Amino acid sequence: MRLLGTAQKIYSSVNHCFNYRNKVFFSSSAYDINLTVRGVSLQNYIKQLEQEYEDASKGNNFALKTRVHELQPLIQILQERKAIVDNITNLQDLLNEKDDDIKKLAEEEKVTFEKTLATVDEKLLDAVLPPDKDDECRSMVLEVNAGVGGQEAMLFASELFEMYSTFAEHQGWETQIADYTTTDLGGIRHGSLLINGSDVFRYFKHEAGVHRVQRIPTTEKAGRIHTSTVSVLALPQPSEIDISIENKDLKIETKRASGAGGQHVNTTDSAVRITHLPTGISVECQVDRSQIKNRQIAMIKLRALLYQREMESQVEKSQTMRKSQVRSNFRNEKIRTYNFPQDRVTDHRLQGCTVHNLRGFLQGNDALRDLINKLDYNLKVETLLSFVDNKQK
């Protein structure tokens, strides 16, 4: 009965704290927000965001209301954190009790609250990390192009295309091949993949860039290691609201499909070529027997390319380029090396990031997903530090 009474006494104290969680009882510096990222304190930045939320809450225009909505998750976490700190500080009297039973239960409660506080601080860091609005895009075009290295580059382009297709399948996303130009030895010069699903662009935007492969080709008699490159392009697919295309601006041509296809080849004008007259951008599609289907796929590719052109134009006019915009990265800088003799994959954007079991990695499984998650977190941290630096200037 005595323990029950003790527990009830602690419960009353804790419940009292939650009822008055927005009231500051007294400050405890030991539980102040002390988040640091790469040695940079986020305390002042978080305070600035709190003040920004308070100021925006007083406005009525659309921009301020939008900002309030964006900051709301962060504010909720801060309120949750304050409630936990209040509970910890209000246990202080019980921790000083002479009654050992009360003191023991109070210490157990304190440990529980501190564990919860650590979890909330992890949520707080995630909430502070700036989102990329393009991450919300549920549809995209992924392009793989053979670069320097001749047939060896084309063979590796085929392997990368297969890796991404398998990865998308494992993630439960819908895929459709929009273009796939093969070679006699089984490689590809170019491949396009339409991908639909949650978070698709958040993952694949980190794959955009130049991929380098180092291995001994099967045709190499002297056993020398050759270096080849493959470029990958990730384009978020905008809605028609984002990109308006008028029919008068399009030149649509049809022709007979070429390549493998049996009797279908050179019998119907199913291949489609669409040219956007204002920009001169042209796309082709001949993957389907239906001209209508090929036209639909070609329009998807055209809309994505026009969106890419618009975004790159905005980036050029911007005084500072956001590092999180992977698609505007320098294409001539390699992002990853696949070294077959050493059985390793090295991503050059992360310090000391090497993954072994290269062939396993190329299967497009959890190893690729884990690497992309590290890249995503690293990019958000870099963007956050840039924001913090700008706020402090």
Side-chain angles (χ1 to χ4, degrees):
M1 293 297 293
R2 185 178 182 185
L3 283 175
L4 179 62
T6 301
Q8 182 63 40
K9 184 175 180 180
I10 292 179
Y11 171 80
S12 298
S13 174
V14 171
N15 193 44
H16 175 77
C17 289
F18 274 107
N19 289 337
Y20 296 92
R21 64 182 182 178
N22 293 321
K23 178 180 178 182
V24 178
F25 294 99
F26 56 89
S27 177
S28 176
S29 59
Y31 298 104
D32 286 346
I33 296 175
N34 189 29
L35 289 181
T36 59
V37 176
R38 297 179 183 173
V40 178
S41 175
L42 303 182
Q43 185 171 0
N44 290 335
Y45 178 66
I46 292 174
K47 289 181 179 179
Q48 291 173 1
L49 292 179
E50 286 184 279
Q51 186 62 50
E52 184 180 354
Y53 175 83
E54 183 178 343
D55 295 340
S57 299
K58 299 175 183 177
N60 292 318
N61 64 53
F62 178 77
L64 292 177
K65 289 182 178 180
T66 300
R67 187 55 177 158
V68 168
H69 178 73
E70 291 174 348
L71 292 173
Q72 189 65 46
L74 170 65
I75 299 303
Q76 290 177 347
I77 294 173
L78 289 172
Q79 290 175 346
E80 181 182 356
R81 189 185 192 282
K82 183 180 181 301
I84 297 171
V85 172
D86 287 345
N87 278 297
I88 293 175
T89 55
N90 277 275
L91 285 173
Q92 192 60 46
D93 289 341
L94 297 177
L95 291 170
N96 295 329
E97 282 277 352
K98 295 182 179 180
D99 189 308
D100 291 338
D101 292 334
I102 293 178
K103 187 175 181 179
K104 181 179 179 181
L105 286 174
E107 289 174 347
E108 292 176 354
E109 286 290 327
K110 181 183 177 183
V111 170
T112 300
F113 281 130
E114 287 177 340
K115 289 181 180 179
T116 305
L117 185 63
T119 301
V120 171
D121 280 344
E122 291 179 2
K123 290 167 55 180
L124 180 59
L125 179 58
D126 289 337
V128 172
L129 292 175
D132 187 340
K133 292 183 179 180
D134 283 332
D135 288 353
E136 301 174 3
C137 184
R138 295 179 55 87
S139 181
M140 62 163 292
V141 178
L142 185 74
E143 295 191 356
V144 178
N145 300 284
V148 178
Q151 289 291 341
E152 180 64 17
M154 297 176 193
L155 288 169
F156 189 63
S158 176
E159 293 178 62
L160 280 187
F161 191 89
E162 181 64 26
M163 177 183 76
Y164 292 134
S165 300
T166 304
F167 178 72
E169 181 181 344
H170 286 169
Q171 294 293 117
W173 297 327
E174 296 179 2
T175 62
Q176 182 179 4
I177 295 178
D179 196 4
Y180 196 78
T181 308
T182 60
T183 66
D184 294 338
L185 296 181
I188 62 171
R189 291 183 174 86
H190 171 79
S192 293
L193 192 67
L194 308 182
I195 310 174
N196 297 285
S198 178
D199 292 338
V200 289
F201 189 67
R202 183 178 77 83
Y203 278 91
F204 281 113
K205 70 179 182 181
H206 298 287
E207 296 303 295
V210 176
H211 297 242
R212 182 176 68 174
V213 58
Q214 296 175 322
R215 64 181 172 187
I216 303 173
T218 55
T219 56
E220 173 58 55
K221 297 180 180 180
R224 292 174 297 182
I225 298 175
H226 285 220
T227 298
S228 307
T229 63
V230 173
S231 65
V232 176
L233 186 65
L235 302 173
Q237 173 58 39
S239 65
E240 294 189 17
I241 297 176
D242 298 319
I243 297 296
S244 177
I245 302 177
E246 298 186 23
N247 290 331
K248 65 182 182 65
D249 292 333
L250 298 178
K251 179 182 178 182
I252 302 177
E253 303 169 278
T254 59
K255 62 180 181 177
R256 293 182 177 180
S258 61
Q263 296 180 350
H264 169 65
V265 177
N266 296 325
T267 60
T268 60
D269 293 337
S270 61
V272 175
R273 176 186 177 91
I274 301 179
T275 302
H276 187 246
L277 298 177
T279 61
I281 296 176
S282 295
V283 293
E284 293 186 14
C285 185
Q286 61 175 27
V287 297
D288 199 272
R289 291 171 179 256
S290 167
Q291 183 186 120
I292 296 176
K293 189 67 174 178
N294 286 333
R295 178 171 172 168
Q296 291 174 342
I297 295 175
M299 284 298 297
I300 290 174
K301 292 174 62 177
L302 176 61
R303 188 171 288 111
L305 288 172
L306 289 174
Y307 179 80
Q308 172 74 1
R309 179 188 177 97
E310 178 63 24
M311 288 302 301
E312 289 182 346
S313 175
Q314 293 179 15
V315 169
E316 289 175 358
K317 296 176 182 178
S318 177
Q319 294 182 354
T320 57
M321 185 187 302
R322 286 185 61 201
K323 293 183 179 180
S324 62
Q325 298 293 335
V326 177
R327 61 182 177 278
S328 62
N329 227 346
F330 297 105
R331 300 293 184 213
N332 60 338
E333 293 184 0
K334 64 181 182 294
I335 62 170
R336 191 177 298 154
T337 295
Y338 304 76
N339 189 302
F340 277 77
Q342 297 180 13
D343 192 31
R344 64 172 173 83
V345 179
T346 301
D347 198 289
H348 305 289
R349 293 164 292 181
L350 297 174
Q351 186 176 3
C353 180
T354 297
V355 179
H356 295 282
N357 186 14
L358 188 155
R359 294 194 180 279
F361 185 89
L362 288 174
Q363 293 177 4
N365 51 26
D366 293 344
L368 176 59
R369 184 195 62 195
D370 293 343
L371 176 57
I372 291 176
N373 283 332
K374 291 178 181 178
L375 289 165
D376 190 58
Y377 180 80
N378 181 70
L379 197 58
K380 287 181 178 178
V381 167
E382 288 183 352
T383 307
L384 172 62
L385 294 179
S386 176
F387 284 174
V388 171
D389 183 58
N390 291 334
K391 287 280 187 178
Q392 292 176 348
K393 290 181 179 179

